[in-house]
Amino acid sequence: MNAQTPSRIAVVGSGPGGCFTAQALRRHWKDAEITIFDRLAAPYGLIRYGVAADHQHTKAVTRQFDRNFDSDEFRFAGNVEVGSDISLADLRSAFDIVVLATGRWRDRALTVPGSHLDGVLVSGDIVNALNTVPRPNLPMPAIGERVVVVGAGNVALDIVRFLIKTAADYDNSDVSPEALGTYLARPAREITVLSRSPIASAKADVAMVRELGKIPGVAFTVANSSSAAEDNTLGLKREAAFADLASIAPEETRAEVRFVFGTAPSRIRGTDHVESVHLAEAPAGVDSVITADTVISAIGFDVNAPGHWHYAEEYDFAPSDGPGRLECGLYRAGWLKRGPVGAIPANRADAHQVAKEIIADVESGRCPIGDDPGGFAALPEDLRSKAVSFADWQQIDAAEVANAEPARIRTKFRTHAEMLEAVEDLRTNGNAAAQTAPTHSMVKG
C-alpha cells in the first residue's frame, strides 16, 4: 500500500451508521483491514434493537452486512467497549483511521407539570422491552386501558400500532414474548394521540399512517384536521391518509384511536398516578381534559444526552450538518454526528458523505497516513480474546432461531451476560451447541 492508502480502519459502533460507513470505505480501499467494534456481543445496533419488532422488512438490511462480515471484508469485534476495555487514544494508535458511530439513545422526556407521576412513560422503554434490549433487559412498563400518546412522528405511530395489534399480528417477528404477553394481558382500549403540528406538517410517513388502517377491529377519529396548501404534495397525501383512517367502520370495535392535531398537553394530573391530561388549547369538539391512566411521550431524542461517549469527553458532540472530522484520523458518523433524526436511508446517505470526506482528507494529503500501525492484531491479547467474532455471533444467532417461540423467527437472549455465556459454551462445544443452546437463559412464555 502507498503512503496515502490506510491499511487499518476502525469503526466504533455496528449499527447502520457504522456499517454503511465501513462499506463505503471498503469499496474505495479494497485492501484495507476494517474492524467494527461494538460494546454488545450482537451487531447491528439500531436495526436489531430500535426498529419495531413487526417491521422485519426494515431489519432485512442486515443481510447485506452479513455478507460483508461472512466474506472477511470486515472483522466484527463485539463485547469491546471503547473507553472501558480500551481507551480511544490506544485504539487510535493501532489504526490509521477511527470512525465513531455509537449513536444517541436517550428519549426526550415531557417537562409539563405532572410529568413525574407514575404512568408517564417514554416510548424508548416500550421499544426496548419489545426488542429485548440487553445490558440490562428491562421489563415492559405497565400500560393502562386509557392511553395518551404525545407526538405524531414515526415513533409515535410505532407505539400506536403496538397498542392496537394482537398477538397474531406479530407472527414471523422477533418480538419479546414476555413483554408482549405482559401488555396483551390487559391491552389499551382508548388511545388519544396529541400532535402540536397540523396534519400537513406532522412527522409521520404516509406509509406508516396507512399501515394503521390495515389492523382490523380499530375505529379512528381525527380532530382539528388542517388544510394543506395546493403545492404541498406530501401534506395533501398525509391529510388524505388520515381521512382514510377516519372513514374506517369496523364491524366490531376492540380499540378506539383518536388523533388530535394542533394541541399539546399543558399539565398531567393525578395524586400518585396519572389520572388525566389537560390540553394547552382544546380544538373544537375536543374536551380540554382527557381521562387517562398512561401517558407515553414520543417526542424525539435528547440531543444533549451523553449516550456512550465517555471514551472521548474532550470532543464536542453537538449535532452538526458539517464535516464528520473531529481531527485528522478521527471522525464521527450517523446519529452521533447529525443528531437523533432520520431512519436507515438517512444513515446511509450520511455514512457515504463521511466516507467521501475521509477519502478526500487522506488522498489530498490533508490528513496523511503514516506507517502501518498494526490494527486489530496490535491490540492487547486479553482484549482480542474477549472480543466476540462474527462467527461467534452467527452461533448466537442460530441459538436464538433454534429457540424461537411458536410463530416467531427467534427468541433473543435477554441479557448481554447470557449472550457471553452462550459464546463461551459454543466455543467449547462447537457448532452443535447452536442446536442445544442454554434454554434456561431464554425468555419462555
Side-chain angles (χ1 to χ4, degrees):
M1 295 188 176
N2 63 51
Q4 297 307 319
T5 301
S7 58
R8 318 288 181 181
I9 298 172
V11 176
V12 183
S14 66
C19 284
F20 281 128
T21 303
Q23 273 189 337
L25 293 173
R26 178 70 185 199
R27 277 195 292 268
H28 188 78
W29 288 315
K30 299 186 184 302
D31 295 325
E33 171 199 283
I34 299 180
T35 302
I36 301 181
F37 294 89
D38 202 289
R39 70 190 188 99
L40 297 179
Y44 305 143
L46 179 67
I47 305 171
R48 175 173 162 93
Y49 291 120
V51 173
D54 59 334
H55 274 189
Q56 291 300 311
H57 58 285
T58 303
K59 292 176 181 274
V61 69
T62 60
R63 293 172 188 165
Q64 63 177 283
F65 304 143
D66 286 344
R67 290 192 293 270
N68 292 135
F69 284 118
D70 217 16
S71 64
D72 296 327
E73 291 189 0
F74 307 145
R75 173 189 289 105
F76 176 64
N79 190 38
V80 176
E81 186 164 20
V82 177
S84 176
D85 298 312
I86 184 172
S87 69
L88 179 60
D90 287 344
L91 186 70
R92 293 186 66 187
S93 70
F95 291 86
D96 298 305
I97 293 167
V98 173
V99 180
L100 304 175
T102 50
R104 299 169 190 256
W105 285 93
R106 186 175 299 171
D107 293 78
R108 186 156 63 92
L110 292 171
T111 57
V112 299
S115 298
H116 66 285
L117 291 170
D118 287 345
V120 179
L121 310 173
V122 292
S123 58
D125 288 350
I126 297 170
V127 173
N128 290 352
L130 292 172
N131 274 325
T132 322
V133 174
R135 212 181 184 188
N137 174 245
L138 300 176
M140 170 61 72
I143 298 174
E145 295 190 351
R146 295 180 174 181
V147 180
V148 171
V149 177
V150 183
N154 286 345
V155 173
L157 293 200
D158 279 342
I159 295 297
V160 173
R161 195 175 67 252
F162 155 67
L163 293 172
I164 62 178
K165 277 195 166 186
T166 66
D169 292 317
Y170 283 90
D171 286 355
N172 300 314
S173 79
D174 59 356
V175 70
S176 163
E178 186 178 60
L180 185 63
T182 296
Y183 170 70
L184 289 179
R186 186 171 173 262
R189 305 298 181 188
E190 298 177 13
I191 301 152
T192 302
V193 185
L194 304 178
S195 170
R196 187 184 302 273
S197 304
I199 294 178
S201 55
K203 301 292 186 181
D205 291 343
V206 172
M208 297 277 283
V209 179
R210 291 173 176 161
E211 189 176 356
L212 295 178
K214 298 176 182 178
I215 303 171
V218 183
F220 297 90
T221 58
V222 180
N224 198 29
S225 57
S226 60
S227 180
E230 292 184 4
D231 60 349
N232 185 354
T233 303
L234 180 58
L236 291 170
K237 288 182 178 179
R238 192 176 287 116
E239 287 180 351
F242 276 104
D244 289 342
L245 279 186
S247 69
I248 295 173
E251 293 183 4
E252 185 175 344
T253 300
R254 55 183 177 78
E256 298 179 357
V257 179
R258 176 177 57 167
F259 287 91
V260 183
F261 291 90
T263 191
S266 62
R267 178 181 296 273
I268 302 169
R269 288 196 178 275
T271 304
D272 298 311
H273 196 280
V274 172
E275 297 175 8
S276 63
V277 176
H278 294 238
L279 302 184
E281 183 177 353
V286 176
D287 291 337
S288 61
V289 179
I290 302 170
T291 301
D293 45 34
T294 306
V295 177
I296 303 172
S297 67
I299 53 176
F301 295 86
D302 184 353
V303 298
N304 296 314
H308 307 298
W309 305 347
H310 55 278
Y311 51 72
E313 295 179 354
E314 67 269 32
Y315 295 102
D316 179 11
F317 287 117
S320 173
D321 292 328
R325 186 194 323 111
L326 295 168
E327 59 187 45
C328 278
L330 183 65
Y331 298 80
R332 58 174 174 162
W335 282 10
L336 186 62
K337 172 180 174 288
R338 70 180 190 282
V341 293
I344 291 172
N347 272 296
R348 182 189 294 112
D350 175 77
H352 288 179
Q353 186 60 43
V354 172
K356 289 180 180 178
E357 180 185 346
I358 295 170
I359 293 165
D361 280 352
V362 172
E363 296 190 343
S364 69
R366 183 183 306 114
C367 294
I369 299 298
D371 296 334
D372 184 351
F376 185 77
L379 299 179
E381 193 279 332
D382 61 337
L383 185 143
R384 287 184 282 119
S385 64
K386 82 184 290 280
V388 172
S389 69
F390 190 70
D392 292 331
W393 155 246
Q394 287 178 311
Q395 298 293 345
I396 295 173
D397 182 34
E400 289 185 344
V401 172
N403 284 271
E405 296 286 324
R408 301 290 186 262
I409 64 170
R410 72 173 65 241
T411 297
K412 293 176 182 174
F413 286 97
R414 290 179 301 169
T415 69
H416 194 246
E418 287 172 348
M419 283 192 280
L420 295 181
E421 289 173 10
V423 168
E424 187 61 32
D425 288 344
L426 293 165
R427 287 178 176 178
T428 301
N429 299 324
N431 291 344
Q435 299 305 317
T436 58
T439 55
H440 66 277
S441 293
M442 307 297 286
V443 180
K444 309 297 283 185

